[in-house]
Amino acid sequence: MGLLSEGVAWEEVERQATDLLSRYIRFDTTNPPGNEAEAAQFLAQTLSDEGIDSHLYEPAPGRANLVARLSAAEPVAPPLLLMHHIDVVPADGATWTRPPFHGLVREGHIWGRGALDDKGLGVIHLMALVLLKRLDVKLTRDIVFMAVSDEEEGGAFGAQWMIEKHWPDIECEYVWDEGGTGSVGMMGRRPIFAVSVWEKRSMLLKLTARGLGGHGSIAGNTPLDRLVRALHAVQGYSTDMRFNGVTREFFERISRDQGFIAGWLMRHAETPVVKGYMARQIKNISSIHAMLRDTITATVLSTGDKPNVVDEQVEATLDVRLLPDTDRDAFLDSIRRAINDDAIELEATGSPKSGPPSPVDSELFRALSQAIYANEPAALVTPMQTPYATDSRFFRERGVAAYGLLPVVLTGEELASIHGVDERMSVKSLTSGIKIALDAVGTLCS
Ligand SMILES: [Zn+2]
């Protein structure tokens, strides 16, 4: 059987997709506040022009989620959900070489905040849906397209809200969401497509030091002194490099594209002799380093602002990312022991329980792999664990298998533009992403 992507006039699709992404970027959906409603209406109109109905939900004024469905006449399996988020993180135009909300198409790229995270994935999903409809593919399961608000601020108005309030509208067997991506030139020579199947959990840890305030001329054990000592202790606290089924599989697959020695080291990264050496090597590759450890990053300090006054209360906030299988309470106990000061109060918020990892031997993972290998024969596909949280966690908590992938190959520079400056997607990538999506969804759903 030929692939669906072989029967498509790609030049025309490329023009349409480029225009769509460019216009989608022009809706400033910076979150906070989000303001996703107009962008959601734009998606609804685009779908409607293609003869696909959709429904808009309003979780709060100005916010919106959208759901559209391509129905199978006689479904033999539960639906696939294609999900992306409409909101974006802030962009400071002064530091960009192109304006972040103009959707300029220049030098073969579509420029703007959201081009990769996550409007690009939205356009890829949407075009795959449109093509399946145009090609009149006989579906064996429904395909649900969902665009949500609020991912960048935790998802309370977006994915989480939809699951709590409208589960029957989006009930599914598989979710295709953001999370991983293809990349080249970072590890080995081949393009690596890392599909996220699990993720770390985020927790905020507030340290508060209280004590006697007073005049700055009185030296002593002030609250700020104690807080600094506590932060110092936390900085010196070293978390263990730990593997699980997902990261083990990631290392095993990546090792196939390494030289003999590097590959061997990766496959033996957990053995006592190699572990320390590998930990030092990995330290310089921040994304891999963060994949294998609980991380603690100090992000906010709130102290007094008068140089000659000792404050009675000072605080620090730590952004903690726990591995999915870290025991939260045991972790907090060990931090308390490291600080070893009863005057320091610890308050942790967040870090929900993690659902199980999504299986690598599922139909969707196989369909994705097959579509990637068909369109990018040199590629290497691997499961991965993302160091940050996405909306996928809400589905995994419910026992639904969720996979995170922007199906395009990014350079290191392009990757750095996510949540950074000059975010952009190449027109070529956009088109090849749609090919992969069309083939993967076609394989799974027809
Ligand atoms: Zn995102």
Side-chain angles (χ1 to χ4, degrees), residues 16 19-20 23-24 27 36-56 64-68 84 86 126-127 129-130 133-134 145 147:
Q16 190 184 355
D19 176 61
L20 214 57
R23 283 157 64 201
Y24 196 8
F27 295 93
E36 298 92 346
E38 278 180 35
Q41 264 150 26
F42 161 75
L43 294 177
Q45 184 61 50
T46 306
L47 288 161
S48 154
D49 292 344
E50 297 287 342
I52 302 171
D53 291 335
S54 59
H55 187 77
L56 289 167
N65 303 313
L66 172 142
V67 173
H84 80 283
I86 307 169
L126 190 148
M127 287 306 298
L129 196 75
V130 162
K133 161 108 180 158
R134 281 188 202 158
F145 172 88

Side-chain angles (χ1 to χ4, degrees), residues 85 87 116-118 151-152 178-179 388 390 418-419:
H85 62 88
D87 62 318
L116 300 172
D117 179 16
D118 190 23
E151 192 275 341
E152 300 290 1
E178 66 174 345
Y388 42 81
T390 69
I418 297 175
H419 289 215

Side-chain angles (χ1 to χ4, degrees), residues 203-210 227 230-231 234 296-302 313-320 328 331-332 335-336 339 343-350:
M203 173 169 87
L204 291 181
L205 189 56
K206 194 157 90 178
L207 308 187
T208 307
R210 290 196 186 84
L227 184 67
L231 286 174
V234 171
I296 310 169
T297 310
T299 48
V300 181
L301 262 182
S302 64
Q313 181 177 328
V314 290
E315 292 167 2
T317 304
L318 307 171
D319 181 345
V320 178
R328 181 183 188 267
F331 176 85
L332 286 172
I335 294 291
R336 241 180 234 114
I339 293 175
I344 302 286
E345 192 183 294
L346 261 71
E347 190 198 341
T349 49

Side-chain angles (χ1 to χ4, degrees), residues 402-414:
Y403 299 87
L405 178 70
L406 177 66
V408 305
V409 179
L410 303 179
T411 62
E413 218 176 283
E414 287 166 332

Side-chain angles (χ1 to χ4, degrees), residues 151-205:
E151 192 275 341
E152 300 290 1
E153 288 288 309
F157 296 106
Q160 191 179 19
W161 188 87
M162 287 301 295
I163 288 172
E164 277 167 15
K165 312 256 183 207
H166 299 282
W167 180 245
D169 296 0
I170 57 170
E171 192 169 1
C172 55
E173 182 174 17
Y174 296 114
V175 177
W176 179 352
D177 183 22
E178 66 174 345
T181 181
S183 65
V184 70
M186 320 262 295
M187 289 166 284
R189 298 158 300 254
R190 296 162 63 181
I192 309 270
F193 281 76
V195 182
S196 169
V197 299
W198 219 8
E199 62 189 33
K200 290 173 78 180
R201 301 127 63 200
S202 113
M203 173 169 87
L204 291 181
L205 189 56

Side-chain angles (χ1 to χ4, degrees), residues 196-359:
S196 169
V197 299
W198 219 8
E199 62 189 33
K200 290 173 78 180
R201 301 127 63 200
S202 113
M203 173 169 87
L204 291 181
L205 189 56
K206 194 157 90 178
L207 308 187
T208 307
R210 290 196 186 84
L212 286 178
H215 198 278
S217 62
I218 315 264
N221 202 11
T222 69
L224 186 55
D225 285 331
R226 302 185 91 137
L227 184 67
V228 168
R229 267 201 304 277
L231 286 174
H232 192 66
V234 171
Q235 251 179 353
Y237 177 82
S238 134
T239 55
D240 200 22
M241 180 167 93
R242 237 165 60 224
F243 286 81
N244 57 40
V246 174
T247 44
R248 217 166 274 138
E249 178 80 19
F250 174 82
F251 262 59
E252 201 283 318
R253 294 209 189 187
I254 297 290
S255 77
R256 295 176 199 169
D257 188 33
Q258 307 293 320
F260 177 75
I261 294 173
W264 187 89
L265 285 169
M266 287 186 85
R267 284 189 298 279
H268 295 80
E270 278 180 275
T271 53
V273 235
V274 180
K275 199 173 174 184
Y277 172 79
M278 282 305 279
R280 284 192 297 280
Q281 295 297 309
I282 290 167
K283 207 160 185 170
N284 304 319
I285 315 169
S286 55
S287 56
I288 309 269
H289 178 78
M291 200 191 289
L292 300 174
R293 289 169 191 274
D294 302 313
T295 58
I296 310 169
T297 310
T299 48
V300 181
L301 262 182
S302 64
T303 63
D305 53 5
K306 293 196 181 58
N308 60 349
V309 173
V310 172
D311 262 32
E312 286 164 19
Q313 181 177 328
V314 290
E315 292 167 2
T317 304
L318 307 171
D319 181 345
V320 178
R321 307 295 171 120
L322 298 178
L323 291 170
D325 49 357
T326 292
D327 182 315
R328 181 183 188 267
D329 294 336
F331 176 85
L332 286 172
D333 281 344
S334 61
I335 294 291
R336 241 180 234 114
R337 275 198 301 279
I339 293 175
N340 192 25
D341 181 350
D342 291 338
I344 302 286
E345 192 183 294
L346 261 71
E347 190 198 341
T349 49
S351 174
K353 280 204 168 57
S354 185
S358 304

